[in-house]
Amino acid sequence: LENVFWIHCLKYRLYDNYLPPHECATHKIVALLHIGVGNLMSLSLPWLHIDTILLDMDGTLLDLRFDNYFKNNDNVSISVFYKNFKNHIELVNSNGYTWINVDKSNVMGVELEGRKSITKNFEFRANLTLVKSQTEFVRNRIEFSDGPKVYIPEDTVKRSMFGQAPYIINTIVSYNSDSLGLIATLSYNRQGRRVVIASANPSVPDVYELPRNMFDFKISKTLGNHFTIHFTMKDILNTP
């Protein structure tokens, strides 16, 4: 083992006001765009015309990581992590679509990643993340009276965290030639089934995004000292 060394890293962080107020709006916009470009593109979402106040999300992160680097620049690492969240934001169908805070959520898992040189110009990178997540979601019935809206609790369900896949696979094969000024990459991505719209109605199921095998290709070529051209193909197989 004289040609390797280990890095041991233990991190503990307590997030106070994990998402500042202005980032709550950003979170909403990003999630909405994700829904729009997926299989739900044809859905017309009847957003609730009510005032929704989103609280800052607080959380705790515990992360233990081991990295192993070789002299030829190959590396492998493994990490285990635990996170818990308060006021996690979810997109919910409750007689219309709105964003709400969920009181309790937690995530735990393991991540494996590595890099391997195949030849002088080719290399392979891979990342595998296995995750177990849980959310305690209180289904509420919204009633309107002469004053503000009132939430009436109906039941509590435990399910996977909104937007969190149970596994994520990423692999990249890349070619790099400094003499040609050329970089080409072929990447593969797959995520497990995840909740994209939660339901506040016991008779209406949650909406899930199913796994997809995504292949992307990108090639870059430098032109002189100041210009670079790129060509990108996303979802080569046009996976449904």
Side-chain angles (χ1 to χ4, degrees):
L1 297 178
E2 60 182 7
N3 64 328
V4 303
F5 63 93
W6 287 89
I7 294 178
H8 307 275
C9 179
L10 175 63
K11 293 184 292 184
Y12 175 83
R13 282 181 284 177
L14 176 63
Y15 290 101
D16 184 20
N17 295 330
Y18 185 75
L19 283 181
H22 67 276
E23 292 194 13
C24 289
T26 304
H27 180 98
K28 291 195 295 182
I29 294 172
V30 171
L32 177 58
L33 291 177
H34 174 77
I35 297 299
V37 300
N39 293 332
L40 304 178
M41 185 179 296
S42 61
L43 288 182
S44 176
L45 302 182
W47 297 97
L48 292 179
H49 297 290
I50 57 177
D51 294 329
T52 301
I53 300 176
L54 295 177
L55 303 177
D56 295 350
M57 183 172 67
D58 300 330
T60 303
L61 165 64
L62 180 63
D63 182 33
L64 177 63
R65 181 183 179 94
F66 296 91
D67 296 283
N68 188 1
Y69 291 87
F70 298 85
K71 285 187 175 181
N72 61 357
N73 290 326
D74 291 349
N75 62 75
V76 63
S77 67
I78 180 173
S79 62
V80 292
F81 56 87
Y82 172 81
K83 306 173 185 178
N84 65 41
F85 303 96
K86 181 180 179 181
N87 298 326
H88 176 63
I89 300 172
E90 296 198 351
L91 173 60
V92 175
N93 179 7
S94 178
N95 297 322
Y97 293 85
T98 187
W99 297 93
I100 67 170
N101 291 107
V102 176
D103 289 339
K104 297 179 181 179
S105 301
N106 63 74
V107 175
M108 65 181 68
V110 58
E111 182 178 14
L112 303 170
E113 59 182 322
R115 174 188 182 276
K116 174 63 180 176
S117 298
I118 303 174
T119 66
K120 178 182 177 181
N121 301 106
F122 282 94
E123 73 172 24
F124 174 76
R125 295 175 182 264
N127 175 281
L128 170 65
T129 304
L130 303 175
V131 179
K132 180 179 180 181
S133 64
Q134 180 173 286
T135 291
E136 292 186 10
F137 180 69
V138 179
R139 288 171 169 160
N140 294 306
R141 183 177 73 256
I142 301 178
E143 293 186 355
F144 296 90
S145 59
D146 295 336
K149 59 187 177 183
V150 179
Y151 292 93
I152 308 298
E154 292 189 328
D155 64 354
T156 300
V157 296
K158 293 184 178 181
R159 55 159 172 77
S160 59
M161 189 174 174
F162 173 84
Q164 179 62 62
Y167 66 86
I168 303 172
I169 303 172
N170 292 295
T171 61
I172 298 176
V173 177
S174 62
Y175 172 83
N176 190 345
S177 174
D178 292 333
S179 60
L180 297 177
L182 182 68
I183 300 175
T185 60
L186 176 65
S187 61
Y188 168 76
N189 170 266
R190 180 182 175 90
Q191 299 187 42
R193 191 181 77 154
R194 58 180 181 170
V195 177
V196 292
I197 301 178
S199 175
N201 187 339
S203 62
V204 177
D206 298 326
V207 177
Y208 286 84
E209 179 183 0
L210 298 180
R212 303 173 65 199
N213 295 307
M214 300 285 291
F215 287 91
D216 299 332
F217 176 76
K218 181 178 180 180
I219 186 169
S220 302
K221 178 69 171 71
T222 57
L223 300 176
N225 296 325
H226 304 287
F227 297 96
T228 303
I229 58 173
H230 304 276
F231 174 76
T232 303
M233 295 178 62
K234 290 187 175 293
D235 193 10
I236 299 173
L237 301 181
N238 193 27
T239 309

